[in-house]
Each structure stands twice: as structure tokens, then as C-alpha cells.
Amino acid sequence: MVMALVSCEHEDEEEQLANLDDSTISPLVRLWLLRFLVPLGLHRKFILDKEFFDNDLAEAIGLGGQFELPDWNFNSAELRTCLRKLHQKAEKDKADTQPPERLAKNVVRLRKLLNLSDIDCRIVEFVVLHRRDSMLEVIDNLLGKLSDRKVYHTLSVVLGCTELEIRKALSKKGALTRSGLITIDHSNDYPLKQKIDILSSGFIDIMLSSDADPVELINDRVIACTPPGLKLADYTHITKSLDILRPYLKHAVDSTRKGVNIYIHGAPGTGKTELAKVLAQELGSELFEVTTEDDDGEPLEGEKRLRVLHLAQTFFAQSQVLILFDESEDVFSDRGSLLGSTARLHKAWVNRTLEENPVPVLWLSNSNSLDPAFIRRFDMVIELPVPTKQQRKQIVKTVCGDMVNATTIERIADSEKMSPAVIARAASVLRCIEGGMESDRVSSAIEYLVSNTLEAQGHRPLDWCGANRLTDTYDPAFIHADSDLSVLTQGLTQTKSGRLCLYGPPGTGKTAFARWLADQLGIPLLIKRCSDLMASYVGETEQNIAHAFREAEQSKALLLIDEVDSFLQDRRGSRHSWEVTAVNEMLTQMESFSGIFIASTNLMDNLDQAALRRFDLKVKFNYLKSEQAWQLLLRQCESLGLSSPKDECHSALGQFTVLTPGDFAAVARQHRFRPMASANELIVALKQECALKEDGKRMPIGFRLAN
């Protein structure tokens, strides 16, 4: 509490003001404080009956020069008189009040860049200093919450202009708002500091402390991207799109074409960001990314990120650069919002952004969540699928170099879910400890990291890719099918088109045949399972089915849909409308698909009759013939390093009428953690596998083998 103050009554006015005017802040901020207190009437809350609201503020404006003299009493009426005189003198001397030198220089730079008016510049100066000066924060406490109208009035008084000028400067059409530099939060009444939003605290720091290059002013919101780790050759699976996109972007950059926007979507890790970097490198342009986090590492909401994009467009308007806007679902997706997407809430603003942006923007999204109302405003919409197996092999070689051997390259590339980001992250970890691990262990370490990441993403680990296979080389001789698979393969090699339904008990080699066939044809294999396509929301399953066929068409892949009975159930037994629409969508896509489509099922009897007619060929995969089982046993003993089985094993094995290649694969996996010492033990393990099957329950109860 302030204890005393000299009486102003008997002193000469100039001498009195000289005694009082002992300010500890800049003249400009002091003038603003006095305008808050006097013309805006905050002195009523500041000068109380027996004390000041804040002693430091009293010191700052010049009322505290002689507080501690014992014979002066606190007199609120006299203090208000002195305060008015201080304000009058400050107004008289206002021509000499200037912002800090660095701030003034940076505002001049902004003025030229953003075409700001005098009022705009004064607002920028005020907001920057308001965020950093503690005395102005005290004023916020005195002001309390403000409506939009009170904000305009307050700023007009403090900055010495008309309320109309402030309204115009902060309107949606004003340079400050259009650039995204400063905006008013119209959603509610807030204290002044919250009501007026500025780009970032980093921007404020640079404005006050650095003679900054214009780009540096926004470098905490728009960052320069690092060089790509991949090459254009790693994206041949989207050649058709790139053949259009590359020359179009080149034309856009060279001709400074406005309104160039490219939407690229695909699952996380498929290489969208790397593609943007590669394209920028190909064009010889810099790539700048709009950040997704604020100063505290918290996610930036869509509207604020759009403001940053607006500002970046202004800053780079005369430069040959590209802008990357990742996670664009923040702007365009309605999901999770009761009011709709940011784009819908600010439709006119977003439309102008997409029509008038002088710098090309690459919008990236992890899902195809683009609002249909905005699709037509994008020049191109490109889906980036997981690379084909050949592309995955090339990416592993590019990213890992000499760190991995041929076996590891094959195993990693074999996973349909392996994305460029996953292998790049694993490789970067191993490079950090290069020299700290024996070279022959690096390959297995990379496999381990990739496998763990895949499993954490909800995919099958790498072990699965090879563990379910009996040998490294698939052999159709071990498939008991009712069609000649070799002849079938020759025909498909010529036509490159066909719709096949593979049916039969589990483990008979349906999926393995599709893999082998894709390798024989030299085309990618795209596998979709029930879990990949089924969705919770109405209509999404149909979208996923359509997406799978489109992805296969674009990448010229053999499409395998496993467990197809989940989608092609007989519609006569359907209880829900979505069951019918899923079947209809599948049939529609099958008919229009020009490549090779394979559907596999264990439950042929459940398939829709109309669906069955759509298949060019139905192939039944059955249990192994006796001789096939015997030859497979011989091969497995050799593979596991066991001695050849004796003749009596042949007849014993012949009793198993429900053996499949999958049973042999299961027993081989058991051998890894429960080694088997002889062919006899292998046969016992195979018998146990058969006994678990419904058809296997009719098998002979027992058999004997010679020791």
C-alpha cells in the first residue's frame, strides 16, 4: 500500500510535474497507460480510497516519485488531479514518443511487405508491446472482459484515432486479418490480450529483438523443409499422376499462376511429405511447411493454421517456392466437430484462399476427408498408396544402403504395409549407433524395428510374412486344385485380366497362390482383408471397397480380397440395408475392374448367387493328396535338417485326409521353439493339427510308427 504522496496544491505546476514524472518505461507505453487511465476512465479502479490498485503501475506512470516521505498522506482526489496533469503533459509531448528502434524498423519491413496502413502499423506496435509489457497486463486486469465494440473503442482512444479506422483495420477485408497476422476473436467477450490474437510469441520476440529478414519473422510458424531422402524413381507407382503434376507445377511456378492447389492423400507413412520434397527439388524450388504446433507444442487448430498460410502466401508471393500444408484434415474434415469443419465455418474465406493464393500449395492428408464442397477447387486430387513390392525393395535399398542384406530387403519389402516412413525411421535409428553394433547384426536390428512399428500400427509383423510359408519358393505342385494352375497362369500372363474365386478349407494355399501368381506376372499384389474394408459408419465400407479397386487399378496390381464372404453374403438372408449395399458395391467394382481380381473364401456356400456369376472361374483348393503330403514331408525334413522319413511313415501319413500346406507351415513354426528330432515327431504334430479340424474328426483314432 502507498503510504504518502506530496500535495500538489502549493507548488508551481512545472516543478510539480518534474517531481512526479519519474517514469521507468518508454514514453510511448507511458502515453498508452495514461490514456487507459484518464480518457478511458480506468483511474476510478486504479486510484482507490487509501491505496493504488497496483503500486508498480503508479511508479511506471510517474505517481510514485515521493511515496515514502512520512508527512504526506494518500489523497485520492489530489492523485486524480495529478494524474490528469501527467496525461496532459504526455499528450503535449506525444510527437516525441516512438516505439523501440528495432520494432519500428521491423514494422517498416512489414508495412512494405503486407501493404499496411498507418493505423495497421500502430496496431501491430501496440499488440507486440502489449504482449511483453507487464504494466499493460495490469491494465488488462482493470479493463476486464471486452466485447468487440469495446475493443474497437478502447484501441481508438489508446492509439489516438477514430473508432471507424480501427474497425476498418481489423475487419475481415483489412490487411492485418487477410494476412493472418492479427485477428479479433469474435466468439465471446475476453480480456484484451485474449481478444486480440497475433501470429505467435516467436514473431513478437523477433519483432523486438532482431533486425530480421522478412522470412525470419514467421520462421516459427513456417519452416524450411529438409532435402528429401527419396527420389522420383521411388514413386513410379503413381507415374500417371506425376506425368501431369510435374509439368503443371513447373508451369505454375514459372508463370506465377494463382490458385494452384494439389490435394495428396494416403495412409500415414506412405511418403506424402517426401513426395512434396522430391517435387520441390525437381523444380529447383524451396519448400516451406506450415507447422502443426504452437509455441507450447500443442496442436494448432485449423483456423490458426490457415492464418499462417495466408501470411506465408504474402511473404513468399514474389518467390519461386512451394508451400506444404500437412494434416489438412484439420481444415476440411467434419468428423469430431458439432459445428462442422473449419472450411465450412469459413467457407468464403477458404474459397478465396484456394482461388487467389499466389504460391502453389501441396495439401496433405492421411485420409480422403476432403469435403465435397471444396473438391472442385483443387487442380488435382492424388491418392498415394503404399508402394508396390518392387518399389518397396527399391526404397529399402535407397534408404538403408549397405546396412541391410538381400534377405532383409526381401523380407521387409514383402510386407504390403511397409511404408517409406517406417523404414526411414528404422534406418535413422541404426545410423545413430553406427559402429556400436556388429555389422552382421544391423540387418536383423532393422527388421526388428520395422516389425515392431508395423505391429504397433495394427498390422502383422514381418515374421508373419515368411512364417506362414512352407519354403522360400512356392511350388504349385503342393496345391490340390480342381484346375491346372500352370495353364491358368499362362492364360493370365497373356490377358492380364480375370476374375477368380478361390475357395476351399483354410490352409490349402489360396492366398499363397495369389502371391505366387503376382510374382509370375511381374505385377504388384494388393491384399485387402475384412478388417481393412469393414467400417463403422454407414457408407464407409462401400467407399473402402471402391478405394481398394481404384488403388489396384492405379498401381496395376493383382487385387486379392481375402474372406470375401464377409462382403458377398447371400442378399436373401440380409437383415440390414448396408449388407445389401456392400454386396452391390462389390459387384459393381468387380464388373468395371480391368485387371486381375482374386477373391478367396472358406465358406463358398454363403456367397451371393449373383456374385458367383460375376467370376470368370471358380477354383476349388482341397486337402493335399497322399503323394503331395509325402513329398512335402520329405522337403520339410530336408529344410529342418532332419533325417529322411522311413517307408512306414508314408502309409501313416496317407491316413491323414485333411492335411494342408498350412499344417506343414504351422509345424515348421512349432519347430522353432519346440524342436522335433525326427520325421515321426513331425507326423505326430501334423496329426494333432488335423484332429482340430471338423473334417479331421473322422480320421482313424491312432496309428503306430516304428521307432
Side-chain angles (χ1 to χ4, degrees), residues 276-307:
K277 293 179 180 180
V278 168
L279 289 169
Q281 188 178 69
E282 283 281 312
L283 295 171
S285 301
E286 281 192 273
L287 180 67
F288 290 87
E289 180 180 1
V290 175
T291 58
T292 58
E293 297 179 345
D294 63 15
D295 304 313
D296 299 321
E298 296 295 326
L300 274 177
E301 56 189 44
E303 183 178 344
K304 290 187 177 181
R305 295 187 66 211
L306 278 179
R307 285 175 46 199

PDB file of all heavy atoms in Angstrom, residues 276-307:
ATOM      1  N   ALA A 276       6.398 -34.419 -51.647  1.00  0.00           N
ATOM      2  CA  ALA A 276       6.407 -32.957 -51.757  1.00  0.00           C
ATOM      3  C   ALA A 276       7.840 -32.432 -51.851  1.00  0.00           C
ATOM      4  O   ALA A 276       8.149 -31.537 -52.650  1.00  0.00           O
ATOM      5  CB  ALA A 276       5.684 -32.339 -50.561  1.00  0.00           C
ATOM      6  N   LYS A 277       8.726 -33.003 -51.044  1.00  0.00           N
ATOM      7  CA  LYS A 277      10.128 -32.583 -51.075  1.00  0.00           C
ATOM      8  C   LYS A 277      10.771 -32.922 -52.413  1.00  0.00           C
ATOM      9  O   LYS A 277      11.551 -32.133 -52.963  1.00  0.00           O
ATOM     10  CB  LYS A 277      10.888 -33.258 -49.931  1.00  0.00           C
ATOM     11  CG  LYS A 277      10.482 -32.805 -48.540  1.00  0.00           C
ATOM     12  CD  LYS A 277      11.282 -33.556 -47.480  1.00  0.00           C
ATOM     13  CE  LYS A 277      10.903 -33.130 -46.073  1.00  0.00           C
ATOM     14  NZ  LYS A 277      11.699 -33.866 -45.051  1.00  0.00           N
ATOM     15  N   VAL A 278      10.466 -34.112 -52.914  1.00  0.00           N
ATOM     16  CA  VAL A 278      11.026 -34.538 -54.200  1.00  0.00           C
ATOM     17  C   VAL A 278      10.563 -33.611 -55.319  1.00  0.00           C
ATOM     18  O   VAL A 278      11.352 -33.193 -56.180  1.00  0.00           O
ATOM     19  CB  VAL A 278      10.622 -36.003 -54.504  1.00  0.00           C
ATOM     20  CG1 VAL A 278      10.937 -36.359 -55.953  1.00  0.00           C
ATOM     21  CG2 VAL A 278      11.346 -36.959 -53.563  1.00  0.00           C
ATOM     22  N   LEU A 279       9.272 -33.263 -55.320  1.00  0.00           N
ATOM     23  CA  LEU A 279       8.735 -32.377 -56.352  1.00  0.00           C
ATOM     24  C   LEU A 279       9.401 -31.010 -56.300  1.00  0.00           C
ATOM     25  O   LEU A 279       9.754 -30.434 -57.343  1.00  0.00           O
ATOM     26  CB  LEU A 279       7.217 -32.240 -56.177  1.00  0.00           C
ATOM     27  CG  LEU A 279       6.383 -33.470 -56.528  1.00  0.00           C
ATOM     28  CD1 LEU A 279       4.942 -33.291 -56.068  1.00  0.00           C
ATOM     29  CD2 LEU A 279       6.427 -33.749 -58.024  1.00  0.00           C
ATOM     30  N   ALA A 280       9.584 -30.479 -55.086  1.00  0.00           N
ATOM     31  CA  ALA A 280      10.237 -29.175 -54.939  1.00  0.00           C
ATOM     32  C   ALA A 280      11.673 -29.236 -55.455  1.00  0.00           C
ATOM     33  O   ALA A 280      12.143 -28.325 -56.146  1.00  0.00           O
ATOM     34  CB  ALA A 280      10.209 -28.733 -53.480  1.00  0.00           C
ATOM     35  N   GLN A 281      12.358 -30.319 -55.129  1.00  0.00           N
ATOM     36  CA  GLN A 281      13.737 -30.478 -55.591  1.00  0.00           C
ATOM     37  C   GLN A 281      13.795 -30.571 -57.111  1.00  0.00           C
ATOM     38  O   GLN A 281      14.683 -29.985 -57.753  1.00  0.00           O
ATOM     39  CB  GLN A 281      14.350 -31.728 -54.956  1.00  0.00           C
ATOM     40  CG  GLN A 281      15.841 -31.900 -55.217  1.00  0.00           C
ATOM     41  CD  GLN A 281      16.387 -33.131 -54.527  1.00  0.00           C
ATOM     42  OE1 GLN A 281      16.077 -34.261 -54.892  1.00  0.00           O
ATOM     43  NE2 GLN A 281      17.190 -32.923 -53.496  1.00  0.00           N
ATOM     44  N   GLU A 282      12.851 -31.306 -57.703  1.00  0.00           N
ATOM     45  CA  GLU A 282      12.810 -31.431 -59.154  1.00  0.00           C
ATOM     46  C   GLU A 282      12.611 -30.074 -59.824  1.00  0.00           C
ATOM     47  O   GLU A 282      13.148 -29.815 -60.897  1.00  0.00           O
ATOM     48  CB  GLU A 282      11.665 -32.364 -59.556  1.00  0.00           C
ATOM     49  CG  GLU A 282      11.961 -33.833 -59.348  1.00  0.00           C
ATOM     50  CD  GLU A 282      12.815 -34.404 -60.456  1.00  0.00           C
ATOM     51  OE1 GLU A 282      12.506 -34.169 -61.631  1.00  0.00           O
ATOM     52  OE2 GLU A 282      13.809 -35.077 -60.140  1.00  0.00           O
ATOM     53  N   LEU A 283      11.836 -29.204 -59.179  1.00  0.00           N
ATOM     54  CA  LEU A 283      11.543 -27.889 -59.750  1.00  0.00           C
ATOM     55  C   LEU A 283      12.622 -26.859 -59.430  1.00  0.00           C
ATOM     56  O   LEU A 283      12.599 -25.743 -59.962  1.00  0.00           O
ATOM     57  CB  LEU A 283      10.196 -27.379 -59.213  1.00  0.00           C
ATOM     58  CG  LEU A 283       8.951 -28.170 -59.618  1.00  0.00           C
ATOM     59  CD1 LEU A 283       7.742 -27.682 -58.850  1.00  0.00           C
ATOM     60  CD2 LEU A 283       8.716 -28.063 -61.107  1.00  0.00           C
ATOM     61  N   GLY A 284      13.545 -27.224 -58.525  1.00  0.00           N
ATOM     62  CA  GLY A 284      14.546 -26.261 -58.089  1.00  0.00           C
ATOM     63  C   GLY A 284      13.959 -25.189 -57.205  1.00  0.00           C
ATOM     64  O   GLY A 284      14.456 -24.053 -57.144  1.00  0.00           O
ATOM     65  N   SER A 285      12.884 -25.512 -56.503  1.00  0.00           N
ATOM     66  CA  SER A 285      12.189 -24.557 -55.625  1.00  0.00           C
ATOM     67  C   SER A 285      12.390 -24.932 -54.164  1.00  0.00           C
ATOM     68  O   SER A 285      12.562 -26.107 -53.834  1.00  0.00           O
ATOM     69  CB  SER A 285      10.689 -24.528 -55.930  1.00  0.00           C
ATOM     70  OG  SER A 285      10.439 -24.173 -57.265  1.00  0.00           O
ATOM     71  N   GLU A 286      12.346 -23.932 -53.296  1.00  0.00           N
ATOM     72  CA  GLU A 286      12.336 -24.208 -51.862  1.00  0.00           C
ATOM     73  C   GLU A 286      10.944 -24.656 -51.450  1.00  0.00           C
ATOM     74  O   GLU A 286       9.944 -24.250 -52.047  1.00  0.00           O
ATOM     75  CB  GLU A 286      12.739 -22.963 -51.069  1.00  0.00           C
ATOM     76  CG  GLU A 286      14.218 -22.683 -51.026  1.00  0.00           C
ATOM     77  CD  GLU A 286      14.558 -21.628 -49.985  1.00  0.00           C
ATOM     78  OE1 GLU A 286      14.509 -20.439 -50.342  1.00  0.00           O
ATOM     79  OE2 GLU A 286      14.853 -21.984 -48.821  1.00  0.00           O
ATOM     80  N   LEU A 287      10.898 -25.483 -50.406  1.00  0.00           N
ATOM     81  CA  LEU A 287       9.621 -25.959 -49.873  1.00  0.00           C
ATOM     82  C   LEU A 287       9.514 -25.523 -48.420  1.00  0.00           C
ATOM     83  O   LEU A 287      10.395 -25.802 -47.614  1.00  0.00           O
ATOM     84  CB  LEU A 287       9.538 -27.480 -49.967  1.00  0.00           C
ATOM     85  CG  LEU A 287       8.259 -28.131 -49.436  1.00  0.00           C
ATOM     86  CD1 LEU A 287       7.062 -27.759 -50.304  1.00  0.00           C
ATOM     87  CD2 LEU A 287       8.397 -29.650 -49.373  1.00  0.00           C
ATOM     88  N   PHE A 288       8.432 -24.831 -48.102  1.00  0.00           N
ATOM     89  CA  PHE A 288       8.185 -24.379 -46.742  1.00  0.00           C
ATOM     90  C   PHE A 288       6.915 -25.026 -46.214  1.00  0.00           C
ATOM     91  O   PHE A 288       5.905 -25.101 -46.920  1.00  0.00           O
ATOM     92  CB  PHE A 288       8.050 -22.847 -46.687  1.00  0.00           C
ATOM     93  CG  PHE A 288       9.333 -22.116 -46.938  1.00  0.00           C
ATOM     94  CD1 PHE A 288       9.733 -21.796 -48.223  1.00  0.00           C
ATOM     95  CD2 PHE A 288      10.160 -21.750 -45.882  1.00  0.00           C
ATOM     96  CE1 PHE A 288      10.920 -21.125 -48.468  1.00  0.00           C
ATOM     97  CE2 PHE A 288      11.351 -21.088 -46.103  1.00  0.00           C
ATOM     98  CZ  PHE A 288      11.737 -20.770 -47.398  1.00  0.00           C
ATOM     99  N   GLU A 289       6.973 -25.476 -44.956  1.00  0.00           N
ATOM    100  CA  GLU A 289       5.835 -26.179 -44.356  1.00  0.00           C
ATOM    101  C   GLU A 289       5.174 -25.340 -43.276  1.00  0.00           C
ATOM    102  O   GLU A 289       5.847 -24.765 -42.412  1.00  0.00           O
ATOM    103  CB  GLU A 289       6.293 -27.499 -43.745  1.00  0.00           C
ATOM    104  CG  GLU A 289       5.165 -28.283 -43.094  1.00  0.00           C
ATOM    105  CD  GLU A 289       5.609 -29.592 -42.489  1.00  0.00           C
ATOM    106  OE1 GLU A 289       6.812 -29.911 -42.559  1.00  0.00           O
ATOM    107  OE2 GLU A 289       4.736 -30.303 -41.940  1.00  0.00           O
ATOM    108  N   VAL A 290       3.854 -25.268 -43.312  1.00  0.00           N
ATOM    109  CA  VAL A 290       3.079 -24.635 -42.248  1.00  0.00           C
ATOM    110  C   VAL A 290       3.068 -25.581 -41.053  1.00  0.00           C
ATOM    111  O   VAL A 290       2.640 -26.735 -41.179  1.00  0.00           O
ATOM    112  CB  VAL A 290       1.643 -24.325 -42.708  1.00  0.00           C
ATOM    113  CG1 VAL A 290       0.816 -23.775 -41.552  1.00  0.00           C
ATOM    114  CG2 VAL A 290       1.654 -23.349 -43.877  1.00  0.00           C
ATOM    115  N   THR A 291       3.547 -25.128 -39.908  1.00  0.00           N
ATOM    116  CA  THR A 291       3.674 -26.013 -38.751  1.00  0.00           C
ATOM    117  C   THR A 291       2.303 -26.437 -38.232  1.00  0.00           C
ATOM    118  O   THR A 291       1.283 -25.802 -38.502  1.00  0.00           O
ATOM    119  CB  THR A 291       4.444 -25.326 -37.607  1.00  0.00           C
ATOM    120  OG1 THR A 291       3.757 -24.117 -37.239  1.00  0.00           O
ATOM    121  CG2 THR A 291       5.855 -24.989 -38.040  1.00  0.00           C
ATOM    122  N   THR A 292       2.316 -27.509 -37.449  1.00  0.00           N
ATOM    123  CA  THR A 292       1.072 -28.050 -36.888  1.00  0.00           C
ATOM    124  C   THR A 292       0.978 -27.836 -35.382  1.00  0.00           C
ATOM    125  O   THR A 292       0.000 -28.234 -34.767  1.00  0.00           O
ATOM    126  CB  THR A 292       0.982 -29.562 -37.174  1.00  0.00           C
ATOM    127  OG1 THR A 292       2.131 -30.217 -36.620  1.00  0.00           O
ATOM    128  CG2 THR A 292       0.928 -29.823 -38.671  1.00  0.00           C
ATOM    129  N   GLU A 293       2.007 -27.181 -34.776  1.00  0.00           N
ATOM    130  CA  GLU A 293       2.031 -26.994 -33.325  1.00  0.00           C
ATOM    131  C   GLU A 293       2.264 -25.531 -32.963  1.00  0.00           C
ATOM    132  O   GLU A 293       2.876 -24.785 -33.730  1.00  0.00           O
ATOM    133  CB  GLU A 293       3.142 -27.840 -32.692  1.00  0.00           C
ATOM    134  CG  GLU A 293       2.965 -29.335 -32.863  1.00  0.00           C
ATOM    135  CD  GLU A 293       4.106 -30.117 -32.237  1.00  0.00           C
ATOM    136  OE1 GLU A 293       5.146 -29.495 -31.934  1.00  0.00           O
ATOM    137  OE2 GLU A 293       3.965 -31.332 -32.050  1.00  0.00           O
ATOM    138  N   ASP A 294       1.776 -25.143 -31.779  1.00  0.00           N
ATOM    139  CA  ASP A 294       2.010 -23.785 -31.304  1.00  0.00           C
ATOM    140  C   ASP A 294       3.311 -23.719 -30.506  1.00  0.00           C
ATOM    141  O   ASP A 294       4.096 -24.670 -30.486  1.00  0.00           O
ATOM    142  CB  ASP A 294       0.828 -23.277 -30.470  1.00  0.00           C
ATOM    143  CG  ASP A 294       0.605 -24.109 -29.199  1.00  0.00           C
ATOM    144  OD1 ASP A 294       1.511 -24.877 -28.807  1.00  0.00           O
ATOM    145  OD2 ASP A 294      -0.467 -23.973 -28.591  1.00  0.00           O
ATOM    146  N   ASP A 295       3.540 -22.593 -29.823  1.00  0.00           N
ATOM    147  CA  ASP A 295       4.796 -22.386 -29.093  1.00  0.00           C
ATOM    148  C   ASP A 295       4.981 -23.380 -27.955  1.00  0.00           C
ATOM    149  O   ASP A 295       6.106 -23.661 -27.543  1.00  0.00           O
ATOM    150  CB  ASP A 295       4.841 -20.953 -28.530  1.00  0.00           C
ATOM    151  CG  ASP A 295       4.662 -19.921 -29.625  1.00  0.00           C
ATOM    152  OD1 ASP A 295       5.326 -20.052 -30.660  1.00  0.00           O
ATOM    153  OD2 ASP A 295       3.852 -18.995 -29.446  1.00  0.00           O
ATOM    154  N   ASP A 296       3.883 -23.916 -27.426  1.00  0.00           N
ATOM    155  CA  ASP A 296       3.960 -24.857 -26.308  1.00  0.00           C
ATOM    156  C   ASP A 296       3.931 -26.316 -26.766  1.00  0.00           C
ATOM    157  O   ASP A 296       3.821 -27.226 -25.946  1.00  0.00           O
ATOM    158  CB  ASP A 296       2.798 -24.609 -25.335  1.00  0.00           C
ATOM    159  CG  ASP A 296       2.837 -23.208 -24.738  1.00  0.00           C
ATOM    160  OD1 ASP A 296       3.954 -22.735 -24.440  1.00  0.00           O
ATOM    161  OD2 ASP A 296       1.761 -22.597 -24.592  1.00  0.00           O
ATOM    162  N   GLY A 297       4.001 -26.530 -28.074  1.00  0.00           N
ATOM    163  CA  GLY A 297       3.959 -27.896 -28.587  1.00  0.00           C
ATOM    164  C   GLY A 297       2.562 -28.468 -28.688  1.00  0.00           C
ATOM    165  O   GLY A 297       2.389 -29.655 -28.976  1.00  0.00           O
ATOM    166  N   GLU A 298       1.552 -27.636 -28.458  1.00  0.00           N
ATOM    167  CA  GLU A 298       0.168 -28.090 -28.572  1.00  0.00           C
ATOM    168  C   GLU A 298      -0.308 -27.966 -30.022  1.00  0.00           C
ATOM    169  O   GLU A 298       0.158 -27.087 -30.757  1.00  0.00           O
ATOM    170  CB  GLU A 298      -0.746 -27.256 -27.661  1.00  0.00           C
ATOM    171  CG  GLU A 298      -0.446 -27.391 -26.178  1.00  0.00           C
ATOM    172  CD  GLU A 298      -0.703 -28.801 -25.663  1.00  0.00           C
ATOM    173  OE1 GLU A 298      -1.643 -29.447 -26.162  1.00  0.00           O
ATOM    174  OE2 GLU A 298       0.044 -29.244 -24.776  1.00  0.00           O
ATOM    175  N   PRO A 299      -1.225 -28.838 -30.451  1.00  0.00           N
ATOM    176  CA  PRO A 299      -1.697 -28.767 -31.839  1.00  0.00           C
ATOM    177  C   PRO A 299      -2.343 -27.427 -32.152  1.00  0.00           C
ATOM    178  O   PRO A 299      -3.118 -26.890 -31.349  1.00  0.00           O
ATOM    179  CB  PRO A 299      -2.724 -29.907 -31.917  1.00  0.00           C
ATOM    180  CG  PRO A 299      -2.378 -30.831 -30.796  1.00  0.00           C
ATOM    181  CD  PRO A 299      -1.829 -29.960 -29.705  1.00  0.00           C
ATOM    182  N   LEU A 300      -2.015 -26.878 -33.308  1.00  0.00           N
ATOM    183  CA  LEU A 300      -2.654 -25.656 -33.774  1.00  0.00           C
ATOM    184  C   LEU A 300      -3.970 -26.013 -34.451  1.00  0.00           C
ATOM    185  O   LEU A 300      -4.019 -26.912 -35.292  1.00  0.00           O
ATOM    186  CB  LEU A 300      -1.757 -24.933 -34.785  1.00  0.00           C
ATOM    187  CG  LEU A 300      -0.698 -23.968 -34.259  1.00  0.00           C
ATOM    188  CD1 LEU A 300       0.115 -23.421 -35.424  1.00  0.00           C
ATOM    189  CD2 LEU A 300      -1.319 -22.833 -33.483  1.00  0.00           C
ATOM    190  N   GLU A 301      -5.028 -25.323 -34.108  1.00  0.00           N
ATOM    191  CA  GLU A 301      -6.309 -25.614 -34.725  1.00  0.00           C
ATOM    192  C   GLU A 301      -6.322 -25.101 -36.163  1.00  0.00           C
ATOM    193  O   GLU A 301      -5.516 -24.254 -36.570  1.00  0.00           O
ATOM    194  CB  GLU A 301      -7.448 -24.992 -33.926  1.00  0.00           C
ATOM    195  CG  GLU A 301      -7.325 -23.514 -33.712  1.00  0.00           C
ATOM    196  CD  GLU A 301      -8.351 -22.981 -32.732  1.00  0.00           C
ATOM    197  OE1 GLU A 301      -8.555 -23.611 -31.689  1.00  0.00           O
ATOM    198  OE2 GLU A 301      -8.934 -21.918 -33.034  1.00  0.00           O
ATOM    199  N   GLY A 302      -7.256 -25.652 -36.940  1.00  0.00           N
ATOM    200  CA  GLY A 302      -7.283 -25.399 -38.368  1.00  0.00           C
ATOM    201  C   GLY A 302      -7.331 -23.933 -38.749  1.00  0.00           C
ATOM    202  O   GLY A 302      -6.636 -23.497 -39.677  1.00  0.00           O
ATOM    203  N   GLU A 303      -8.125 -23.137 -38.034  1.00  0.00           N
ATOM    204  CA  GLU A 303      -8.268 -21.728 -38.390  1.00  0.00           C
ATOM    205  C   GLU A 303      -6.943 -20.981 -38.235  1.00  0.00           C
ATOM    206  O   GLU A 303      -6.561 -20.167 -39.079  1.00  0.00           O
ATOM    207  CB  GLU A 303      -9.339 -21.075 -37.519  1.00  0.00           C
ATOM    208  CG  GLU A 303      -9.590 -19.623 -37.873  1.00  0.00           C
ATOM    209  CD  GLU A 303     -10.690 -18.997 -37.035  1.00  0.00           C
ATOM    210  OE1 GLU A 303     -11.455 -19.749 -36.392  1.00  0.00           O
ATOM    211  OE2 GLU A 303     -10.783 -17.755 -37.025  1.00  0.00           O
ATOM    212  N   LYS A 304      -6.217 -21.261 -37.155  1.00  0.00           N
ATOM    213  CA  LYS A 304      -4.942 -20.575 -36.944  1.00  0.00           C
ATOM    214  C   LYS A 304      -3.916 -20.990 -37.990  1.00  0.00           C
ATOM    215  O   LYS A 304      -3.100 -20.182 -38.435  1.00  0.00           O
ATOM    216  CB  LYS A 304      -4.427 -20.861 -35.534  1.00  0.00           C
ATOM    217  CG  LYS A 304      -5.245 -20.180 -34.445  1.00  0.00           C
ATOM    218  CD  LYS A 304      -4.611 -20.336 -33.076  1.00  0.00           C
ATOM    219  CE  LYS A 304      -5.407 -19.576 -32.026  1.00  0.00           C
ATOM    220  NZ  LYS A 304      -4.801 -19.695 -30.679  1.00  0.00           N
ATOM    221  N   ARG A 305      -3.951 -22.249 -38.385  1.00  0.00           N
ATOM    222  CA  ARG A 305      -3.017 -22.704 -39.411  1.00  0.00           C
ATOM    223  C   ARG A 305      -3.338 -22.056 -40.760  1.00  0.00           C
ATOM    224  O   ARG A 305      -2.438 -21.744 -41.543  1.00  0.00           O
ATOM    225  CB  ARG A 305      -3.057 -24.224 -39.530  1.00  0.00           C
ATOM    226  CG  ARG A 305      -2.574 -24.940 -38.277  1.00  0.00           C
ATOM    227  CD  ARG A 305      -2.475 -26.427 -38.494  1.00  0.00           C
ATOM    228  NE  ARG A 305      -1.442 -26.725 -39.472  1.00  0.00           N
ATOM    229  CZ  ARG A 305      -1.477 -27.766 -40.302  1.00  0.00           C
ATOM    230  NH1 ARG A 305      -2.508 -28.590 -40.285  1.00  0.00           N
ATOM    231  NH2 ARG A 305      -0.510 -27.981 -41.151  1.00  0.00           N
ATOM    232  N   LEU A 306      -4.614 -21.838 -41.026  1.00  0.00           N
ATOM    233  CA  LEU A 306      -4.983 -21.133 -42.253  1.00  0.00           C
ATOM    234  C   LEU A 306      -4.480 -19.696 -42.228  1.00  0.00           C
ATOM    235  O   LEU A 306      -4.050 -19.157 -43.255  1.00  0.00           O
ATOM    236  CB  LEU A 306      -6.499 -21.147 -42.440  1.00  0.00           C
ATOM    237  CG  LEU A 306      -7.105 -22.406 -43.065  1.00  0.00           C
ATOM    238  CD1 LEU A 306      -8.608 -22.264 -43.156  1.00  0.00           C
ATOM    239  CD2 LEU A 306      -6.529 -22.674 -44.442  1.00  0.00           C
ATOM    240  N   ARG A 307      -4.513 -19.079 -41.063  1.00  0.00           N
ATOM    241  CA  ARG A 307      -3.988 -17.715 -40.934  1.00  0.00           C
ATOM    242  C   ARG A 307      -2.498 -17.692 -41.245  1.00  0.00           C
ATOM    243  O   ARG A 307      -1.996 -16.790 -41.918  1.00  0.00           O
ATOM    244  CB  ARG A 307      -4.243 -17.186 -39.526  1.00  0.00           C
ATOM    245  CG  ARG A 307      -5.679 -16.780 -39.270  1.00  0.00           C
ATOM    246  CD  ARG A 307      -5.876 -16.372 -37.825  1.00  0.00           C
ATOM    247  NE  ARG A 307      -4.826 -15.481 -37.372  1.00  0.00           N
ATOM    248  CZ  ARG A 307      -4.535 -15.250 -36.096  1.00  0.00           C
ATOM    249  NH1 ARG A 307      -5.205 -15.884 -35.153  1.00  0.00           N
ATOM    250  NH2 ARG A 307      -3.585 -14.419 -35.779  1.00  0.00           N
TER     251      ARG A 307
END
